[in-house]
Amino acid sequence: MRATSFADGSGRALRDEIPITPSVQSVLVVDVGGSSVKILATGQNERRSFFSGPTLTPGRMVSEVKKLAGDWCYDAVSMGYPGPVVDGRPVAEPYNLGRGWVGFDFRAAFGCPVKIVNDAAMQALGSYKGGKMLFLGLGTGLGSTLIADGVVEPMELGHLPYKKRTYEDYVGRAGLIRHGKKRWRSDVADVVARLVAALEPGDTVLGGGNVKKLKTLPPRCRAGDNANAFRGGFRLWEATAPAREPRLAPNDALAGSKGAPPPARGSQSFSPPSTGKAAAWRALEAHCASMQGLHLRDLFRDDPSRGERMTAEAAGVFLDYSKNRITDETLRLLVELAERSGLRTKIEAMFRGEKINVTENRAVLHVALRAPKGASIIVDGENVVPQVHAVLDKMAHFACRVRSGQWRGHSGEPIRNVVNIGIGGSDLGPVMAYEALKAYSDRAMTFRFVSNVDGSEFIEATRELDPAHTLFIISSKTFTTLETMVNARSARDWSLRGLGGDARAVAKHFVAVSTNAEKVSEFGIDPANMFEFWDWVGGRYSMESAIGLSTMVAVGPDNFRAMLEGFRAIDEHFRAARFDRNLPALHGLLGVWRNNFCGAPTVAALPYDCYLKRFPAYLQQLTMESNGKHVTLEGARAKVRTSPIYWGEPGTNGQHSFYQLIHQGAEIVPCDFIAFGQSLNPLGRHHEMLLANVLAQSEALAFGKTREEVEAEGASDWLAPHRVCEGDRPSNTILMDRLTPASLGKLVALYEHSVFTQGVIWDIDSFDQWGVELGKILARRIIPELESKTEPELTHDSSTNNLIRRARELAGAS
Ligand code: F6P
């Protein structure tokens, strides 16, 4: 027998069908709160309770509960826990109780099966009457849970930024005490209105102890009852949903559906252990097969409003996804896949600072880099947001001194040239952002970027620079990367040579951005001139950390902060918006559709703004270093294709180069067109022409040119097939008003979270990069073999040995 979607005690598992233990007759429900622990068992009328408080440990709680329920019969326990729960286990210590809850073995302690769920989710479940319900618990904090068609999504909306702090700070108990009842009530009304507008529930329940302090309930809300927590606890073990059955049949049912149409070209089978996800995947395969033969021309003809409907907009970013081969059903099934994959829970896990980079046991917190002052994100017991702002302030102080000429070089001259030395994420983000925001930069200064270990790059970058006016920013998370260290040493030699050989010059001409203070000082850079970041910032997610120091010097602190606000706007949207209106989630899911179901193995990123010329290169690292993995989180071989190959160039240049293949090639290449309504440099009719081109490309790709149209133009029989463009080639168009620091932040955050969404669907660790290591190690072995004065003994394969010998000969011959 299988239970329904909410027969489990965690965010992710709640969405899957879990086998019910048939022997469960009586349930003991334990509602753990900050001031008391309340219990009730099947068949009992009177609840019992005892005091909890800040010293309560889980061991003491269980023994008190067992004592208090000594005369009750039960063979399973449901527990409402005052903190986040993932996969039925508490994942963070409760802030209002004692320690030891994470990792505690409740099953062993109770001696029977235990289902644990977040306390707000348990109360929500007890209040649920069907459809889509938002539950907000007004207690010490702000609990929140969404239940949609029986699928329970515990959420942490309370930690979202609001005014100067977070929602919870205003509508939790602290807000009530700080601002008084009147202001608290108006904040509650505002917060409820915002969340209702974002999530669009059919039913909103306000629970928690403080709901009785409201004079009137906000429109379309009903008051919950704390006793519903018990009802929710009993429901956790019920075999059937009170409202509706889950939309998807369990795995076995689908696996047995032999009559289902075969998967479409390029679709792949997926059979992960979690049941609902496999079913969602198969439903998409079947749906894809049923769409064979449908052309974008048909889809647009049958729905004249498609071009307006299949769009989404948030924070000034407009996404037109109508020119993808999808229907409303495709979207519904993709959203279902996201839900069944635990996307909501994983988003929350990321924002809460959980160690979701499992192979490196690290949190993934680029979102903390743009969190507002006053927000709180705890990593290893410490709030990281104040550290982020302290570094930002230090960067701003430094940037202002360099820009104003206050920071002087060794010979007393102001700095006029800045050279960033770094590679991968320590280069691609900074160079992309500098190019993108050039219009906002200090034109009296020169910015150069050196990444490649090819000495020509360093020579060219420094060719006409004066060492007296030149500052090097050595950017490296590890401060061990070969290319960066070699370039940094060449820079030090170049600098000292030009400044009379005085080693003290390094202090005035070198600063470092790193997580490795020891290596920085070993190199000779004063740690006072080091700008810190942290292991929870991945290299490819670091452009808005101290790695963006060159960007800040170029455009100034105010523009840099505006860029961070752009990032933040999309972060908030990604965290709060429902998936079918959520730009990054939609973008990521459409990518999955194109890649795994429509069989398109690449994506072309095509910005129609020359300032974004390095954006495709930046995206290559972001997407492919993140999702270019074939091993799942469990260590198994992925059964589906993961990251597609990203490539691209700014339009219109690409049109006169590789677009031929996109229009008429044998492979389908989905495109992302990126354009802005206004030019930063209005010049005659240039911008209208640029825009006309980008719009024409997506139109041509979608609709093409039929044989009839070609013949009507007089093409002969043999020429006509060459001139036909079959169309039906998918594209997204991303439109914004103008390229500003904020819009750059939004664009990057959109792609970051799209990559995250896809990593969740493919079940991979998007934040490690083990594949890059092997080549680095082998290169270190070959370096001495190339440099050896005598013939080295080579023990590689015959090809590598031969190439090394040849390279040595050629080097000697030059
Ligand atoms: O190439 C692998 C990589 O580790 C990237 O992820 C990273 O952005 C780059 O090298 C540079 O690393 P670091 O900043 O430590 O020098």
Side-chain angles (χ1 to χ4, degrees), residues 422-427 475-481 484 533 538-540 542 547 621 625 769 772-773 776:
I423 196 163
S426 302
D427 166 69
S475 298
S476 173
K477 180 172 169 177
T478 53
F479 229 72
T480 56
T481 304
T484 303
F533 66 119
R540 51 194 175 274
S542 66
I547 288 289
Q621 189 199 17
E625 198 168 69
Q769 57 283 317
V772 193
E773 298 307 315
K776 289 186 190 169

Side-chain angles (χ1 to χ4, degrees), residues 471-765:
L471 174 84
F472 289 94
I473 302 177
I474 313 299
S475 298
S476 173
K477 180 172 169 177
T478 53
F479 229 72
T480 56
T481 304
L482 174 96
E483 293 89 336
T484 303
M485 290 303 104
V486 170
N487 280 318
R489 280 191 284 272
S490 297
R492 191 172 51 192
D493 295 347
W494 179 87
S495 207
L496 291 183
R497 240 186 352 260
L499 293 165
D502 185 347
R504 284 174 305 174
V506 171
K508 297 284 178 202
H509 292 270
F510 284 78
V511 296
V513 179
S514 187
T515 58
N516 192 341
E518 203 179 314
K519 291 271 174 213
V520 167
S521 87
E522 246 172 67
F523 180 85
I525 297 178
D526 183 350
N529 294 338
M530 171 176 142
F531 297 84
E532 192 195 356
F533 66 119
W534 306 272
D535 74 355
W536 40 260
V537 183
R540 51 194 175 274
Y541 297 88
S542 66
M543 60 171 273
E544 72 281 24
S545 71
I547 288 289
L549 185 62
S550 56
T551 317
M552 197 192 263
V553 176
V555 303
D558 288 347
N559 281 318
F560 195 87
R561 287 187 196 280
M563 180 179 81
L564 296 183
E565 273 160 32
F567 273 103
R568 194 188 308 149
I570 294 294
D571 291 346
E572 288 171 7
H573 164 73
F574 182 51
R575 198 173 184 189
R578 44 191 268 189
F579 292 147
D580 61 354
R581 307 254 176 93
N582 188 315
L583 294 182
L586 270 175
H587 187 268
L589 290 169
L590 288 167
V592 169
W593 172 250
R594 295 152 151 197
N595 181 39
N596 296 107
F597 297 94
C598 305
T602 84
V603 175
L606 307 165
Y608 276 65
D609 191 307
C610 69
Y611 287 122
L612 288 181
K613 66 180 178 195
R614 295 295 285 157
F615 193 65
Y618 171 80
L619 268 192
Q620 286 183 330
Q621 189 199 17
L622 178 67
T623 56
M624 294 196 275
E625 198 168 69
S626 295
N627 285 340
K629 325 266 163 80
H630 70 269
V631 176
T632 66
L633 288 171
E634 286 74 32
R637 194 176 180 96
K639 292 193 178 135
V640 298
R641 184 192 290 137
T642 54
S643 177
I645 297 153
Y646 280 76
W647 56 291
E649 270 287 307
T652 58
N653 300 30
Q655 290 175 209
H656 299 273
S657 158
F658 53 80
Y659 276 39
Q660 165 59 34
L661 181 148
I662 302 182
H663 285 284
Q664 283 190 316
E667 284 290 348
I668 297 291
V669 180
C671 299
D672 272 5
F673 294 105
I674 301 166
F676 299 89
Q678 300 159 31
S679 169
L680 295 182
N681 299 290
L683 178 64
R685 294 169 61 220
H686 282 243
H687 197 64
E688 289 69 24
M689 292 183 188
L690 181 68
L691 277 182
N693 270 282
V694 65
L695 302 180
Q697 289 304 318
S698 69
E699 187 179 12
L701 287 170
F703 304 104
K705 193 170 195 179
T706 62
R707 172 116 194 183
E708 296 72 49
E709 285 166 338
V710 168
E711 282 173 358
E713 285 174 359
S716 62
D717 265 6
W718 74 267
L719 184 59
H722 295 274
R723 293 189 43 192
V724 167
C725 289
E726 58 189 17
D728 206 25
R729 302 198 169 213
S731 68
N732 289 322
T733 300
I734 298 169
L735 263 181
M736 283 186 268
D737 56 355
R738 52 198 269 125
L739 178 51
T740 61
S743 51
L744 180 68
K746 291 173 194 175
L747 187 63
V748 174
L750 164 62
Y751 275 95
E752 284 177 346
H753 297 319
S754 166
V755 165
F756 178 88
T757 300
Q758 298 184 342
V760 169
I761 303 291
W762 294 323
D763 196 27
I764 52 183
D765 188 334

